[in-house]
Amino acid sequence: MQDKVTLIEVAPRDGFQSVIEPIATTDKLAIIKALAAAGLKHIEVGSFVSPKAIAQMADIVPVLQGVERLADDFESIVLVPNQQGAQMATEHRCQRLNFVFSASETHNLNNVNKTLQQSLEELKRVQQVVDKKEGLALRVSLATSFDCPFTGAVNPEHTLALFQQILNICPSAQLALCDTTGRAHPFAVRDLFTRALALMDEPERLIFHCHDTYGLAIANVAAAYQAGVRTFDTAVAGFGGCPFAPGASGNVATEDVVYFFESGGIDTGIDSKKLKQAIALAEQIEGAQLGGSIRLLNR
Ligand code: COA
Ligand code: ZN
């Protein structure tokens, strides 16, 4: 039987949050719908975060309302940094919360204003919120699992110890190890995922989230795949970048990952032709920094 992978589209959250000018909700919805039409069934559509921290995500409620009528098997995912965000999410229709905190204490303090211990305690409360809401599932994303923008390389022993603590708190959640800066090396990616998978009963719960800052994202996806990972975060048109960190780039491009797997005989379930519509819409967003390779060949 042909091997399969699952792609989780994250441009509407990780990509859009890097654009300072507000993107119209209708433009966000048009891209999300084009992505869904291309076969992307799992889309991170935004986040419940403080609008003072990230104003671009302030329209999460109308975005969620706009995706309600997508296919029955469509999963909308929202990022939450705390119990407050999780509680807010339960008042709307979404299928999965993505609780994020960082392996690097310094990055965690900068991003969510919490120590690692405080974030682990917060995770327990978020798990309780999820447990009480029927039809709601949880994912935990460990940012800076390989490298921190402030303190550099993160010790894999430290990341794996946190990974084990997350597994203990959330026995059925999805778990993502994130190369937030794009500085992870494929060999380190292979090693960390091999070790993480050895700690889990269900490999399908493990996700790789990566950025393409040094052009190594596809090599990193290949390394994670060879370690046994089958679920990947990707962003259409490599949408992303950070206006406050010149040189930082977006997630690995969805269309590049589709090309990589499909040309290697691995099914992604994505229709590359239909994906072009979402790419064209992403290219029209003012202030967007785009990446990826395949997109540029199709002009
Ligand atoms: N959604 C919306 N508002 C929130 C919120 C949430 N999830 N969590 C807290 N707030 C509001 C509080 O109501 C409070 O509002 P007020 O000033 O009007 O009373 C204010 O934010 C401060 O709350 P507090 O709990 O003290 O938070 P904080 O100042 O320590 O900030 C976060 C912590 C996590 C809320 C904030 O840093 C944040 O939203 N970060 C976003 C991180 C992110 O998305 N990064 C990119 C993705 S990895
Ligand atoms: Zn990211």
Side-chain angles (χ1 to χ4, degrees):
M1 214 171 76
Q2 195 186 15
D3 204 356
K4 277 201 291 199
V5 291
T6 301
L7 305 191
I8 301 173
E9 173 64 45
V10 299
R13 198 278 303 168
D14 209 350
F16 292 177
Q17 74 179 16
S18 69
V19 179
I20 294 178
E21 281 297 306
I23 302 170
T25 307
T26 46
D27 290 344
K28 292 183 179 181
L29 288 172
I31 295 187
I32 293 169
K33 286 175 185 169
L35 289 162
L40 285 142
K41 295 192 163 94
H42 312 269
I43 304 187
E44 192 176 39
V45 297
S47 42
F48 279 99
V49 292
S50 160
K52 283 183 202 139
I54 303 195
Q56 186 64 262
M57 295 290 120
D59 62 348
I60 180 63
V61 170
V63 167
L64 280 175
Q65 286 164 348
V67 300
E68 265 180 19
R69 286 172 200 278
L70 290 176
D72 286 346
D73 58 351
F74 178 77
E75 184 184 61
S76 57
I77 305 161
V78 287
L79 182 146
V80 296
N82 55 14
Q83 183 189 17
Q84 184 175 337
Q87 202 59 53
M88 289 162 89
T90 60
E91 285 154 31
H92 306 279
R93 224 173 116 183
C94 63
Q95 284 71 46
R96 188 178 293 275
L97 303 187
N98 179 14
F99 177 76
V100 66
F101 74 106
S102 308
S104 154
E105 183 114 36
T106 309
H107 188 263
N108 206 48
L109 284 165
N110 268 275
N111 195 36
V112 296
N113 198 22
K114 284 189 172 51
T115 63
L116 293 185
Q117 204 47 50
Q118 285 169 332
S119 276
L120 286 165
E121 293 304 319
E122 197 77 2
L123 173 57
K124 289 179 192 162
R125 291 188 278 269
V126 169
Q127 177 72 68
Q128 284 168 5
V129 171
V130 170
D131 286 343
K132 284 197 195 122
K133 173 94 180 177
E134 212 187 311
L136 189 62
L138 181 64
R139 154 185 172 154
V140 183
S141 290
L142 191 57
T144 65
S145 282
F146 299 85
D147 178 81
C148 167
F150 305 110
T151 56
V154 174
N155 187 334
E157 306 300 332
H158 169 75
T159 300
L160 286 166
L162 276 171
F163 183 85
Q164 183 62 61
Q165 282 179 281
I166 299 167
L167 284 174
N168 296 345
I169 296 169
C170 319
S172 61
Q174 289 181 340
L175 237 149
L177 293 174
C178 309
D179 177 21
T180 306
T181 60
R183 280 204 287 245
H185 190 277
F187 299 163
V189 169
R190 183 194 55 204
D191 289 353
L192 192 68
F193 277 107
T194 302
R195 294 178 67 190
L197 280 162
L199 299 172
M200 301 180 89
D201 300 330
E202 301 154 289
E204 60 279 5
R205 285 205 279 133
L206 190 57
I207 300 165
F208 182 35
H209 173 103
C210 67
H211 287 257
D212 199 28
T213 317
Y214 291 84
L216 288 179
I218 282 288
N220 282 336
V221 166
Y225 177 82
Q226 288 191 316
V229 178
R230 293 293 178 268
T231 310
F232 301 86
D233 280 357
T234 65
V236 66
F239 205 115
C242 176
F244 305 110
S249 82
N251 297 94
V252 65
T254 305
E255 60 279 10
D256 290 5
V257 175
V258 170
Y259 172 79
F260 166 69
F261 281 121
E262 297 280 346
S263 60
I266 296 158
D267 183 24
T268 61
I270 312 296
D271 181 330
S272 309
K273 285 203 187 90
K274 289 190 181 162
L275 193 54
K276 283 184 188 169
Q277 172 65 17
I279 295 171
L281 291 170
E283 285 173 337
Q284 285 166 26
I285 300 289
E286 211 168 311
Q289 288 179 53
L290 304 179
S293 303
I294 297 295
R295 180 175 71 82
L296 304 168
L297 298 173
N298 293 334
R299 294 192 152 173

